[in-house]
Amino acid sequence: MMEIQVKQEAAETSPLMGLLAHLAPGPLLSWGLLEVIGLFPVSVDQEQRHARFAPPLRSLELVGSPSYGTLVLRNRATDGVLVLPMHVGFFQPGAQNHATSRVLILDAGETLTVDDCFCIQQSQSGTLRQAQQRFCMLPLGLRRAAFELQGVKDFSQLWKAIAAYSRRYGINYGGHLERWLRPSFSQLLPYRHALELQPGQVGAAFFLAGRLVGVELAPNSAYWAELMPILLIYCYGAAALLAQRQGRALARSTLDLTGLRDLDDLQRRLEEARREEQRLYLAQLCSVAELHKHARLVEVHAGLRVLSISHSEWFGQAVYADSEVVYLSLFRSEL
C-alpha cells in the first residue's frame, strides 16, 4: 500500500515571482506518481484582500441548459464575485452532461448565459435542470482540447477528444466521459484523502512522476478548500492513473550511505537530499511562473481581467485583480 511521503518538513519562505508572486511554496507531498507542493500567501492581508471572492460550490447555481452547448449559471452570493474555474463539468441522470470551455466571472447575484460549452455524453438526450449542484472537472488529458475549442459554438466538438482519451485507458466509449469516470471513481477517490489540504493553502503545483504538469491557484483558502478535492479526483488523479497504466515511475536518486557514521549523520544526509529534491521541483515551478510574459487579455468583467496563456506545451488562464493574480489554472498538454 502506498504511503504519503512528506519530503520537506518546513515550508520555504522565499516568495516566487511572476504569476506566483506573493506566494510561498510548502512541503512536497506524494501519493504514488502524483506529487503536490502547496502554495501559501506570503502575507496575512492577502487573504483578507481576496475575501470578497465567493467559494464556487456554495455559490454557483446551475439555472439550466436551454439548448445543447448552452448553460445558464447564477452566482448565489449577494456580496461576492464568483470566478468559476476552467473546464468544470455538470452531471445529471437522464440529461446531457455539459462542461465549460473557459474561466467564467459572475458578479454578485449575476446570471450568465454561456453558449460555448461542450456536451460530454454523446447521443444522450435531455437538458440539465435547475440545481445548486456540485461540479466535477475535465481530466488533464482533455484540457488542451477544451482550451483550444473555447469560443466554438458546437456542442459536439469535444466528443472526438473524449473518445481518444478513453482509448488511452484501453476502452472505447466514444464521446461518453461518464462511462470512463464511473468505473474509475473508486481508484480516483483516494487522491482526495491522501494529499491533504494544509491550513491557509490557496493553491498547488502538481507533479507527475517528477514532472510539473499543472499549477492551480484560488483567490482565498475557502475557495481552495472546495476546489482542491475536485482537482485531485477528476483532473490530476485521472492523469496519475493513466501514468500508472503506462508504467511510468518516479525517478528518485539513491541516498549515498558511504561512510555513514551514526543516526545523526543519516538524518543530516536525508535532510540534504530533501532540500535538493525540493530545489529541483521549485526550479520547474519558477520557470512556469514566468509564463505571464506570454499572456493575452481576453475579457474584462466585474473589475477583473481574464488572460489566456498558450506557450509551447503550456496552456491556461489567469484572472487579475489590479496587479495581483487571484485565479490561475496552468496545465501541461504533453504528459
Side-chain angles (χ1 to χ4, degrees):
M1 180 177 179
M2 293 181 290
E3 296 181 355
I4 303 173
Q5 300 177 23
V6 181
K7 301 178 183 176
Q8 174 73 22
E9 299 296 332
E12 296 285 340
T13 57
S14 300
L16 298 161
M17 303 299 290
L19 289 167
L20 303 177
H22 312 300
L23 295 170
L28 178 63
L29 308 176
S30 72
W31 177 259
L33 296 178
L34 184 60
E35 299 173 293
V36 176
I37 289 180
L39 298 173
F40 301 83
V42 172
S43 61
V44 176
D45 63 341
Q46 183 174 333
E47 176 83 359
Q48 296 171 345
R49 288 197 307 274
H50 298 171
R52 67 186 179 97
F53 293 98
L57 287 179
R58 71 187 76 171
S59 304
L60 178 67
E61 180 181 0
L62 171 63
V63 178
S65 176
S67 60
Y68 295 139
T70 299
L71 292 175
V72 181
L73 306 170
R74 185 169 75 90
N75 179 8
R76 299 176 69 252
T78 57
D79 58 355
V81 177
L82 173 60
V83 178
L84 187 64
M86 298 180 70
H87 305 154
V88 297
F90 300 93
F91 284 67
Q92 284 184 6
Q96 173 60 248
N97 300 325
H98 279 67
T100 60
S101 64
R102 52 191 167 90
V103 171
L104 300 171
I105 297 176
L106 291 84
D107 210 345
E110 181 180 358
T111 298
L112 179 67
T113 299
V114 190
D115 60 3
D116 62 342
C117 300
F118 308 112
C119 292
I120 52 176
Q121 193 178 12
Q122 187 175 356
S123 76
Q124 171 67 46
S125 61
T127 55
L128 295 169
R129 301 173 300 278
Q130 183 171 5
Q132 184 192 357
Q133 68 173 77
R134 300 182 67 85
F135 54 79
C136 64
M137 184 166 288
L138 291 178
L140 184 58
L142 287 174
R143 296 192 69 188
R144 176 177 179 175
F147 176 90
E148 293 179 336
L149 290 169
Q150 59 184 294
V152 177
K153 299 175 183 179
D154 182 345
F155 63 84
S156 66
Q157 281 293 303
L158 204 59
W159 289 348
K160 183 177 179 180
I162 294 172
Y165 178 78
S166 297
R167 286 196 294 270
R168 297 178 73 183
Y169 283 88
I171 55 181
N172 187 11
Y173 288 147
H176 290 263
L177 184 59
E178 88 292 346
R179 292 184 183 174
W180 166 82
L181 179 60
R182 292 184 189 280
S184 302
F185 190 76
S186 62
Q187 297 173 276
L188 296 171
L189 192 58
Y191 290 99
R192 172 184 179 175
H193 302 295
L195 298 166
E196 294 182 350
L197 177 73
Q198 305 298 309
Q201 187 175 350
V202 295
F206 296 86
F207 299 82
L208 197 58
R211 190 180 190 213
L212 182 64
V213 295
V215 183
E216 309 283 344
L217 176 65
N220 52 54
S221 57
Y223 187 119
W224 182 251
E226 294 188 352
L227 181 59
M228 182 176 174
I230 295 170
L231 289 166
L232 286 172
I233 294 173
Y234 300 103
C235 183
Y236 295 102
L241 282 186
L242 182 58
Q244 182 178 329
R245 175 181 174 82
Q246 294 171 337
R248 297 175 63 180
L250 285 170
R252 289 195 175 98
S253 58
T254 303
L255 184 66
D256 183 9
L257 299 179
T258 304
L260 185 68
R261 297 187 301 273
D262 50 30
L263 289 178
D264 289 339
D265 187 20
L266 176 61
Q267 181 178 0
R268 180 185 59 79
R269 296 189 191 194
L270 284 171
E271 290 173 351
E272 289 178 354
R274 288 168 179 166
R275 282 194 294 269
E276 176 61 15
E277 188 172 41
Q278 183 89 347
R279 185 190 67 79
L280 294 174
Y281 278 67
L282 290 180
Q284 296 184 59
L285 186 55
C286 288
S287 176
V288 170
E290 295 302 310
L291 289 178
H292 67 284
K293 300 173 183 177
H294 303 279
R296 60 180 179 85
L297 182 67
V298 294
E299 183 184 1
V300 178
H301 186 64
L304 303 174
R305 293 179 295 128
V306 180
L307 289 84
S308 281
I309 298 171
S310 174
H311 180 71
S312 184
E313 56 188 357
W314 286 95
F315 300 85
Q317 289 188 305
V319 177
Y320 278 80
D322 297 324
S323 61
E324 280 190 307
V325 178
V326 296
Y327 170 85
L328 175 68
S329 182
L330 270 179
F331 51 90
R332 199 172 209 142
S333 63
E334 299 299 329
L335 307 182

